[in-house]
Amino acid sequence: MRYAFVSREVKAGLKRNLTMTMALIISVAVSLTLFGTALLLRAQVDRMKGYWYDKIEVSIFLCGNSSLAFTCTGTVTEDQRNAINAKLTGLAPTVQEVFYESSADAYERFKEQFEGSSILANVSPDALPESFRVKIDNPENFDQIASAVGTMQGVESVQDQRKLLERFFQILTGLQAFTLAIALAMLFVTVMLVMNTIRVAAFARRRETSIMRLVGANNSTIRLPFILEAVTSALVGATIASLGIIFAKAYLIDQKLAPNLTFIAFVNWTEVLLLLPWLFLAGIAISAGASSLTLRRYLKD
Amino acid sequence: MIRFDQVTKQYPNSAAPALDDVTLEIADGEFVFLVGSSGSGKSSLIRLVLKEDTATSGTVEVDGVNIGELANREVPEFRRGMGVVFQDFRLLPNRTVYENIQFALEVIGAPDDEIEKRIPAVLELVGLDGKEHRFPNELSGGEQQRVALARAVVNRPKLLLCDEPTGNLDPTTSLGIMKLLDRINRTGTTIVMATHDHAMVDEMRKRTVEIANGRIIRDEQSGSYKMGDI
């Protein structure tokens, strides 16, 4: 096998088939960008779950003077509060920590969150219920807490904050599935395009290949230029896709989204950079695979 | 060099076999004409020797190798031991004479210095020295066939197969090619030449094998194109 010969053939082939080469590069770039985006979205969902589930607590709101729940008979009493606290503490190790937040504490927090907003003027400390905030070992064990204290006197409601986020994660997961579906469709298009490009190239060079077979060139010598042609296009496409994803991380996420959405943990550079080799591998595998398959059909042994 | 033992070749979509129970032996260094009308089976025979096709039954041996037992990946190496020329030359129109021959050597992995040595020598042998930078369309038919011949023998094959090499050439040019083939034969290369060229066969007085309907109907030393001629 001669390096100079093969590289010359590849260059000539790419040039001769310029429009096809361009189409192939763009198709690979788009499909790999989408593919990478889908994978990063999944990483994003995983990361947010880890981040939020760590912070999320179960809130047990206690009765206030206007509570209507059937477990409430006016504001929670001292005894009721102690009983609830004892019950929660007794649920260790499921319950890891119990904080008590009085109406006054809740009002302080509320003030912080809505500083400068006119809503503050309409809210008084006793409008905000006192509560227990409970950290649990595993979000899945929420039901255990709800059934233990949910019906106790003095408990107005038990709220799993995780439920609120679940909806948000569903949207992200849906988005990820959608991106993945388009990516797969585009990868399919790419495979078709590789096959067609190689078929056209093999036809354009049928004189050369027939002479090669006649004089006893190895199959690898005959096929390698075609395969490398497809792989070269795929590598250029993968490079464009990688640059696109790096740009999305550096600009869209780091510059635009992250400063405004400080409560969200975004995918980090390690995750992004670890993804890129897989894009290249996918590009190589698809182009080499599809072209070998095509050559097996269009070039006789 | 070539041994056919009860070889039959049946193509899938034809009623009669292209070759029907053919037994033939061609010794090292021989020059053999293969004659017969179009469709008689001459080209099928050549394709079998090249292992472009595989015999339906019987064995084909080339240079001591039963080529029916040759694995696909061994075929390229096997073909390097032979040269082939066709009626239509099969040159690459976008490459010069030199590059056409270079291409054939490059694709089988010949080293550069070998290529640089061999091409001038073979061009001199076929009488094309000085025309190495011409393109095929700048050459006459006879010259193009000489390029094809140069490409076929540059690798010094033991066997040269010619499928109607003079079919597209006028008689004078054909004679030139024929003389060249004769010269190549004298260096020890076995030559099998399928042809329709009466005059050539009659003139050369070489071994002649006639095929009709896939069967060998005549095999004469120093034969003529038609039985009983001369």
Side-chain angles (χ1 to χ4, degrees):
Chain A
M1 186 79 53
R2 295 167 48 97
Y3 170 78
F5 170 75
V6 170
S7 70
R8 205 165 55 220
E9 287 291 297
V10 170
K11 265 185 229 155
L14 286 173
K15 246 195 269 175
R16 180 164 27 203
N17 240 341
L18 199 59
T19 50
M20 281 292 222
T21 306
M22 297 297 285
L24 190 51
I25 288 174
I26 291 168
S27 164
V28 169
V30 172
S31 50
L32 287 183
T33 306
L34 286 172
F35 187 55
T37 306
L39 293 182
L40 283 180
L41 270 173
R42 198 172 78 167
Q44 180 67 40
V45 170
D46 287 349
R47 165 164 289 267
M48 284 172 88
K49 277 187 177 161
Y51 179 82
W52 285 104
Y53 284 179
D54 249 17
K55 296 190 168 37
I56 278 173
E57 341 175 292
V58 175
S59 303
I60 295 113
F61 293 103
L62 305 181
C63 300
N65 53 14
S66 58
S67 296
L68 295 172
F70 68 93
T71 47
C72 291
T73 47
T75 310
V76 63
T77 65
E78 184 73 31
D79 286 347
Q80 285 170 343
R81 192 186 298 127
N82 289 340
I84 296 164
N85 193 2
K87 184 83 173 187
L88 287 172
T89 322
L91 284 173
T94 305
V95 169
Q96 293 183 314
E97 275 178 275
V98 180
F99 305 99
Y100 169 71
E101 190 181 68
S102 68
S103 291
D105 294 338
Y107 184 66
E108 284 305 313
R109 216 156 55 97
F110 190 80
K111 270 205 306 195
E112 267 175 44
Q113 278 175 353
F114 292 91
E115 215 180 340
S117 163
S118 57
I119 201 174
L120 267 181
N122 300 321
V123 173
S124 66
D126 34 321
L128 296 168
E130 52 189 295
S131 62
F132 283 108
R133 306 271 154 147
V134 175
K135 265 207 191 309
I136 55 180
D137 59 346
N138 181 344
E140 311 293 334
N141 290 335
F142 167 77
D143 290 341
Q144 218 178 314
I145 312 259
S147 60
V149 298
T151 54
M152 287 179 79
Q153 287 295 312
V155 173
E156 189 186 6
S157 65
V158 181
Q159 196 183 70
D160 182 7
Q161 293 179 325
R162 197 170 67 115
K163 289 250 159 59
L164 302 173
L165 280 171
E166 213 83 295
R167 179 82 38 89
F168 179 57
F169 288 145
Q170 270 170 13
I171 295 173
L172 276 183
T173 311
L175 191 65
Q176 183 220 341
F178 180 68
T179 321
L180 197 61
I182 299 181
L184 289 180
M186 279 302 300
L187 285 177
F188 185 69
V189 170
T190 307
V191 168
M192 295 286 146
L193 205 53
V194 170
M195 291 180 135
N196 198 44
T197 307
I198 294 305
R199 198 171 56 84
V200 169
F203 185 76
R205 270 181 272 167
R206 63 194 183 287
R207 277 171 177 278
E208 277 86 348
T209 50
S210 77
I211 288 168
M212 284 170 144
R213 289 194 317 109
L214 218 53
V215 299
N218 292 323
N219 263 334
S220 55
T221 310
I222 298 176
R223 293 175 187 196
L224 200 63
F226 293 101
I227 295 174
L228 286 184
E229 232 178 276
V231 170
T232 308
S233 304
L235 286 180
V236 176
T239 307
I240 295 173
S242 300
L243 292 177
I245 284 173
I246 288 172
F247 170 81
K249 165 66 177 157
Y251 183 74
L252 288 181
I253 293 183
D254 288 357
Q255 301 273 330
K256 292 285 169 191
L257 290 176
N260 296 320
L261 302 170
T262 46
F263 55 91
I264 294 180
F266 285 101
V267 285
N268 59 23
W269 276 107
T270 316
E271 280 163 316
V272 172
L273 294 179
L274 279 179
L275 168 77
L276 301 185
W278 292 104
L279 294 189
F280 278 90
L281 273 182
I284 292 171
I286 285 173
S287 54
S291 52
S292 316
L293 218 73
T294 315
L295 290 172
R296 193 169 302 174
R297 238 175 89 188
Y298 288 97
L299 295 182
K300 245 180 23 164
D301 279 320
Chain B
M1 176 55 67
I2 300 176
R3 188 204 302 267
F4 274 56
D5 191 15
Q6 299 182 320
V7 173
T8 296
K9 175 63 189 174
Q10 173 75 55
Y11 286 102
N13 293 319
S14 69
L19 286 178
D20 189 3
D21 195 25
V22 168
T23 299
L24 173 70
E25 189 161 350
I26 295 170
D28 285 5
E30 259 193 294
F31 192 121
V32 179
F33 282 120
L34 228 46
V35 299
S37 56
S38 297
S40 57
K42 304 191 299 290
S43 293
S44 297
L45 194 147
I46 285 182
R47 289 175 64 82
L48 286 181
V49 175
L50 269 172
K51 203 167 161 47
E52 282 273 308
D53 280 328
T54 309
T56 313
S57 67
T59 52
V60 179
E61 260 181 49
V62 177
D63 199 17
V65 179
N66 178 348
I67 64 171
E69 290 168 0
L70 221 50
N72 272 350
R73 62 186 166 74
E74 294 171 318
V75 172
E77 192 64 44
F78 162 74
R79 288 207 180 132
R80 288 177 201 184
M82 58 180 79
V84 207
V85 290
F86 298 93
Q87 185 172 1
D88 57 358
F89 319 137
R90 303 204 185 170
L91 301 175
L92 298 172
N94 53 346
R95 292 178 200 247
T96 63
V97 169
Y98 188 94
E99 287 166 349
N100 262 285
I101 303 168
Q102 183 186 28
F103 179 81
L105 286 171
E106 271 184 328
V107 298
I108 59 168
D112 279 333
D113 53 343
E114 190 77 6
I115 293 175
E116 281 162 29
K117 258 195 334 225
R118 283 201 191 178
I119 297 179
V122 79
L123 283 176
E124 200 188 321
L125 172 74
V126 301
L128 282 178
D129 37 335
K131 299 200 169 164
E132 51 266 59
H133 299 302
R134 303 278 190 88
F135 285 91
N137 64 1
E138 299 169 338
L139 299 174
S140 70
E143 285 171 329
Q144 290 187 45
Q145 192 58 290
R146 283 169 195 267
V147 179
L149 258 172
R151 183 179 62 192
V153 300
V154 70
N155 211 17
R156 297 185 192 132
K158 288 183 175 173
L159 173 63
L160 180 61
L161 301 169
C162 309
D163 197 355
E164 307 201 21
T166 58
N168 279 346
L169 306 175
D170 63 68
T172 323
T173 313
S174 296
L175 193 66
I177 295 289
M178 197 58 234
K179 281 184 177 156
L180 182 54
L181 287 174
D182 196 33
R183 179 132 43 98
I184 292 166
N185 176 234
R186 273 174 224 199
T187 64
T189 305
T190 310
I191 297 185
V192 177
M193 173 170 165
T195 187
H196 277 132
D197 197 329
H198 298 231
M200 187 92 74
V201 177
D202 293 344
E203 159 114 17
M204 298 297 292
R205 319 278 327 146
K206 301 278 191 190
R207 179 178 170 193
T208 304
V209 174
E210 183 172 355
I211 304 181
N213 298 322
R215 287 175 166 272
I216 293 180
I217 56 169
R218 178 165 63 107
D219 185 349
E220 294 176 338
Q221 296 299 327
S222 14
S224 57
Y225 192 84
K226 285 239 163 59
M227 206 176 311
D229 276 5
I230 304 183

